[in-house]
Amino acid sequence: MSLYQICYRSRIKSEMDASGVGAEIEGTVRQIRQMNALNGITGALILTDTHIFHLMEGPVDFVSDALERALADPRHQDVTILSRKAVEYRLFHDSWLYFADLRLDHGRELPGQLSMIMPRPQTATAEDVLALMAYIAGDLAEAQLTNRLLQI
């Protein structure tokens, strides 16, 4: 089975204020995780004050269908595909959907990959976002290895 990866950025509709996004996000993440588990999709969703970055990886047909659902979601606008390609391995192989809410990270010292995106998410390049996703995936893998070692 060949793997496919899509990464996109979208702007959160301006009508949705911070409380609206916060109230909705938990249910949305749960729903995406359920769909991803059924379709063999892994990935990550990063939420900033104004934008969403979403990386999906899995079978090409299922990833393409998931992208079409995201494009049709009325909560998104100005969707930009940052990367669309076949890949040899999954970055988030153990995560149906890693989720990070960065709306509360103002004023905190951030890793280099994240500090490139947070001030101006609308201008983040594909390289910036994919570097951030690889950084997060590496942290996840390291944490999982540590957890396994501690359980011995």
Side-chain angles (χ1 to χ4, degrees), residues 36 41-45 54-57 92 95-99:
N36 285 357
I41 297 173
T42 55
L45 182 72
H54 191 177
L55 181 135
M56 300 177 277
E57 51 197 11
F92 293 92
S95 180
W96 298 125
L97 183 70
Y98 171 82
F99 173 68

Side-chain angles (χ1 to χ4, degrees), residues 32-43:
I32 293 171
R33 284 178 176 150
Q34 289 170 347
M35 292 297 298
N36 285 357
L38 289 172
N39 295 314
I41 297 173
T42 55

Side-chain angles (χ1 to χ4, degrees), residues 7-79:
C7 183
Y8 70 88
R9 168 188 53 228
S10 70
R11 190 161 50 93
I12 300 167
K13 281 235 171 153
S14 57
E15 302 88 60
M16 294 189 69
D17 62 6
S19 63
V21 172
E24 220 171 295
I25 197 68
E26 187 176 321
T28 301
V29 168
R30 184 177 353 165
Q31 182 181 22
I32 293 171
R33 284 178 176 150
Q34 289 170 347
M35 292 297 298
N36 285 357
L38 289 172
N39 295 314
I41 297 173
T42 55
L45 182 72
I46 311 296
L47 175 66
T48 72
D49 291 328
T50 57
H51 288 77
I52 291 170
F53 296 96
H54 191 177
L55 181 135
M56 300 177 277
E57 51 197 11
V60 66
D61 291 341
F62 291 125
V63 171
S64 295
D65 289 346
L67 176 63
E68 290 303 316
R69 283 192 303 277
L71 292 173
D73 188 325
R75 297 170 291 184
H76 298 272
Q77 60 186 28
D78 301 331
V79 177

Side-chain angles (χ1 to χ4, degrees), residues 65-138:
D65 289 346
L67 176 63
E68 290 303 316
R69 283 192 303 277
L71 292 173
D73 188 325
R75 297 170 291 184
H76 298 272
Q77 60 186 28
D78 301 331
V79 177
T80 303
I81 306 298
L82 298 171
S83 175
R84 180 188 292 222
K85 61 186 176 183
V87 294
E88 294 182 25
Y89 62 90
R90 295 175 188 257
L91 284 176
F92 293 92
H93 55 87
D94 287 333
S95 180
W96 298 125
L97 183 70
Y98 171 82
F99 173 68
D101 185 345
L102 303 180
R103 293 175 299 151
L104 304 176
D105 280 347
H106 296 289
R108 191 175 74 132
E109 188 171 328
L110 302 170
Q113 293 85 348
L114 194 49
S115 63
M116 297 295 291
I117 292 172
M118 284 300 288
R120 291 175 299 286
Q122 68 276 11
T123 62
T125 66
E127 293 78 19
D128 290 339
V129 175
L130 291 173
L132 172 61
M133 295 294 185
Y135 175 83
I136 291 168

